[in-house]
Amino acid sequence: MRKTNTIFGKSDPGVAGVSLPDTDVANVNIDEIIDDEFLRKESPNLPEVPESQVVRHYIDLSNKNYHIDKNFYPLGSCTMKYNPKINEVVANFDSIKNLHPDQPVETVQGAMELIYELEQMLKKITGMSRCTLQPSAGAQGELAGAMVIKQYHIFKGNDKNVILVPDSAHGTNPATVVRVGYKTRVIKSDSRGRVDIDDLKKNIDSKVAGLMLTQPNTLGLFEDNIQEITKLIHDVDGLVYMDGANLNALVGIVRPADMGFDITHMNLHKTFSTPHGGGGPGSGPIGVVEKLVPFLPVPVIDRKDDGSFFWNYNYPNSIGRLHGQFGNFGILVRAFTYIKMLGDRGLREMSSNAVLNANYLKSLIVDKYDVPYTDGIMHEFVISGIKQKKRGTKVLDIAKKILDEGYHSPTIYFPINVPEAMMIEPTETETKKTLDEYASTLIKIDKLVDDNPNELRDAPITTPVQRLNEAQASRNPDVRWDFEISD
Ligand SMILES: *Cc1c(COP(=O)(O)O)cnc(C)c1O
């Protein structure tokens, strides 16, 4: 055991890691401009490390970490697709990265034009009337959308308190519903893994404020009765919300507004290739139909007659402000670049390839692994490890063995309506060769279930930490920074 191989543990007092240029502003005494009570009494505890050590430290950490630039990352529902480096080049233009959000609008017209143009692109992709780019993640987009639903009913004087959520919904959907003070009512799936229309009809009454539906759903399937579903909800003046986090199966092929949705969010950090994971910055814009535009968060970006852009706060029925500024601008720049790079045809190919890759990978492993729903697979599919479980190996063991094979594990035990679920999303950015290799790994693991199950039970053995006691980690979390790590 070695004490603290964090950057703090590597600190060597007196060793300078920075050389600052001479200041070009006059020196002032800090206590002349800041009240004594706000001044630090002791120096901050900062690591003192030379640049070479800083670089080695973080390269070492990035090697321990798993990321999309390292290898295939088929984590279902997360769209861990390759992030083209051109996105980073553009986001790092001086004229973009050096902007300050409080600059006067006359000096940031270019940045505002980019936000405005991105909104136009998202309108074209979704068929919606307007979008807000403020939400910082898909879940915050859902919150914005659910608040818009509530605001709509308040302004119409509707007495509503229930939002319907299919049992195949992403976990954030029911959480969002509860957060805005509505109740959820769960709708069953039918034998095809789609919304059970009879159960839906049974649950619709005048109290229904709306329906939140993930499209494609969490089984990776297209809800093909969607126009009937949206009509049933509209008949009671409900609104239909599309969880469009995984729009990479639909862009250029079908638009949420045409399916009858009133609101959709889209995860720019999935569909439009910006780095994410580990809670990193994201962006979850929502688009809404015309009648919901007055409720969008402020400020809304608008254009004056002279063509200049301004932040419009004059939306008296708005749900309010959702972001300290105007959204995660750096992520918007990356998504803008990606969409511009692909163009109309490229985006349609993106969606077709996402669907092709998922169906191809499924076809390679379907003899060994049970795939309960195969009819209409879009960008991802769910396998059930029940055949392996009957032979004594849990899907958890399979997932851990996948780590030893040099891949990130798929999502497991979700969705909950499939036993021993394993959710695989290859994404459109992987080659046939990568998918072939991955399929052979899964087939090899299936063989180990009979030949050497202990190798699965002991996995992983090649990762920085081995199998963790997950229950203990959640019951007794230890979040101090000065922990000990074995080498
Ligand atoms: C990822 C995802 C979300 C949540 O998005 P975040 O950006 O992680 O908040 C919601 N719904 C679906 C279907 C998703 O895949």
Side-chain angles (χ1 to χ4, degrees):
M1 293 286 252
R2 171 153 69 93
K3 182 86 176 151
T4 65
N5 48 14
T6 64
I7 191 79
F8 290 91
K10 289 176 180 165
S11 182
D12 194 357
V15 176
V18 286
S19 62
L20 297 174
D22 289 339
T23 170
D24 59 358
V25 293
N27 266 328
V28 272
N29 238 342
I30 190 117
D31 37 17
E32 282 168 21
I33 48 174
I34 296 181
D35 284 351
D36 196 45
E37 60 173 313
F38 298 119
L39 285 177
R40 215 180 247 293
K41 303 290 176 287
E42 290 157 21
S43 307
N45 175 23
L46 294 177
E48 293 177 68
V49 190
E51 182 176 311
S52 54
Q53 295 300 331
V54 174
V55 170
R56 284 175 194 155
H57 176 76
Y58 286 103
I59 293 287
D60 186 36
L61 277 185
S62 82
N63 285 335
K64 285 195 171 75
N65 198 6
Y66 194 91
H67 45 92
I68 189 65
D69 287 345
K70 199 162 178 170
N71 204 359
F72 186 41
Y73 204 139
L75 187 64
S77 198
C78 293
T79 318
M80 303 303 287
K81 71 182 185 189
Y82 176 70
N83 310 126
K85 296 300 164 248
I86 179 86
N87 295 353
E88 301 306 311
V89 172
V90 177
N92 279 293
F93 284 166
D94 279 349
S95 55
I96 285 183
K97 78 166 180 230
N98 291 341
L99 293 178
H100 192 282
D102 287 338
Q103 268 178 246
V105 289
E106 313 84 76
T107 67
V108 290
Q109 285 291 310
M112 293 176 76
E113 182 168 358
L114 186 148
I115 295 176
Y116 185 85
E117 283 294 318
L118 181 57
E119 185 191 344
Q120 306 315 307
M121 295 171 184
L122 299 179
K123 278 162 59 176
K124 185 168 164 192
I125 287 167
T126 58
M128 294 294 174
S129 294
R130 294 271 346 222
C131 303
T132 173
L133 279 59
Q134 281 184 39
S136 296
Q140 204 192 6
E142 289 176 36
L143 179 69
M147 288 170 77
V148 165
I149 294 177
K150 196 167 183 180
Q151 195 85 329
Y152 169 81
H153 291 304
I154 289 173
F155 275 84
K156 280 201 83 177
N158 289 343
D159 178 23
K160 309 270 196 184
N161 65 358
V162 173
I163 292 202
L164 307 177
V165 183
D167 61 3
S168 63
H170 194 266
T172 47
N173 297 177
T176 300
V177 170
V178 172
R179 189 69 191 80
V180 301
Y182 279 145
K183 292 197 187 75
T184 57
R185 205 179 276 166
V186 179
I187 308 297
K188 287 193 212 121
S189 299
D190 64 15
S191 58
R192 295 174 58 242
R194 314 303 206 280
V195 168
D196 184 326
I197 300 284
D198 292 331
D199 195 49
L200 177 67
K201 285 183 182 157
K202 260 186 244 150
N203 280 289
I204 294 182
D205 57 33
S206 63
K207 287 287 192 185
V208 169
L211 164 77
M212 281 183 96
L213 190 114
T214 304
Q215 175 80 308
N217 72 22
T218 313
L219 293 165
L221 307 171
F222 189 75
E223 289 284 352
D224 39 15
N225 289 319
I226 191 60
Q227 283 175 315
E228 183 181 356
I229 294 171
T230 52
K231 179 169 184 314
L232 285 167
I233 302 296
H234 289 152
D235 285 347
V236 292
D237 200 15
L239 297 170
V240 197
Y241 181 97
M242 173 166 140
D243 180 334
N246 303 293
L247 214 59
N248 57 325
L250 307 180
V251 176
I253 298 178
V254 59
R255 302 186 307 169
D258 298 336
M259 291 185 263
F261 288 103
D262 302 291
I263 310 174
T264 183
H265 83 262
M266 47 221 126
N267 280 19
L268 302 188
H269 51 287
K270 292 175 180 169
T271 306
F272 302 113
S273 87
T274 82
H276 66 284
S283 180
I286 64 167
V288 299
V289 295
E290 195 63 38
K291 67 177 175 189
L292 300 178
V293 171
F295 309 120
L296 281 176
V298 283
V300 172
I301 191 162
D302 274 326
R303 213 166 184 175
K304 291 190 185 147
D305 290 341
D306 67 2
S308 63
F309 299 94
F310 71 107
W311 294 113
N312 193 345
Y313 288 85
N314 189 18
Y315 279 73
N317 300 341
S318 160
I319 58 166
R321 186 164 194 153
L322 275 183
H323 192 277
Q325 302 295 345
F326 319 105
N328 279 337
F329 182 60
I331 301 299
L332 304 182
V333 172
R334 288 170 174 87
F336 176 89
T337 308
Y338 187 73
I339 295 174
K340 278 279 189 206
M341 180 180 73
L342 289 186
D344 290 355
R345 213 186 66 209
L347 286 175
R348 181 192 279 264
E349 265 171 38
M350 163 189 97
S351 304
S352 310
N353 287 336
V355 175
L356 179 64
N357 276 4
N359 281 279
Y360 176 67
L361 183 55
K362 182 220 72 184
S363 75
L364 297 178
I365 59 170
V366 71
D367 288 345
K368 302 290 178 199
Y369 292 87
D370 184 57
V371 182
Y373 303 99
T374 51
D375 152 37
I377 286 174
M378 302 292 287
H379 61 298
E380 65 189 345
F381 61 99
V382 177
I383 67 182
S384 165
I386 45 171
K387 286 188 191 168
Q388 289 73 19
K389 178 90 178 279
K390 281 196 192 117
R391 283 142 62 210
T393 293
K394 293 180 294 195
V395 83
L396 179 70
D397 300 331
I398 296 175
K400 297 295 183 193
K401 181 63 187 166
I402 289 173
L403 304 181
D404 277 342
E405 297 290 332
Y407 297 105
H408 196 282
S409 159
T411 305
I412 55 171
Y413 297 114
F414 184 82
I416 47 182
N417 50 354
V418 172
E420 296 294 298
M422 190 153 104
M423 197 178 189
I424 302 184
E425 180 177 11
T427 85
E428 59 276 17
T429 55
E430 300 298 336
T431 62
K432 177 171 178 298
K433 186 157 173 277
T434 303
L435 303 183
D436 289 339
E437 284 166 2
Y438 186 68
S440 0
T441 300
L442 290 182
I443 291 167
K444 183 176 98 183
I445 291 175
D446 174 67
K447 199 161 176 302
L448 283 175
V449 170
D450 302 319
D451 297 354
N452 192 357
N454 283 340
E455 201 179 316
L456 301 172
R457 232 158 281 148
D458 293 342
I461 54 170
T462 60
T463 47
V465 286
Q466 274 72 59
R467 214 176 272 215
L468 298 169
N469 181 336
E470 288 167 18
Q472 183 177 337
S474 71
R475 280 173 204 148
N476 295 308
D478 182 353
V479 293
R480 289 169 307 141
W481 62 267
D482 59 339
F483 53 85
E484 293 193 356
I485 292 182
S486 57
D487 284 315

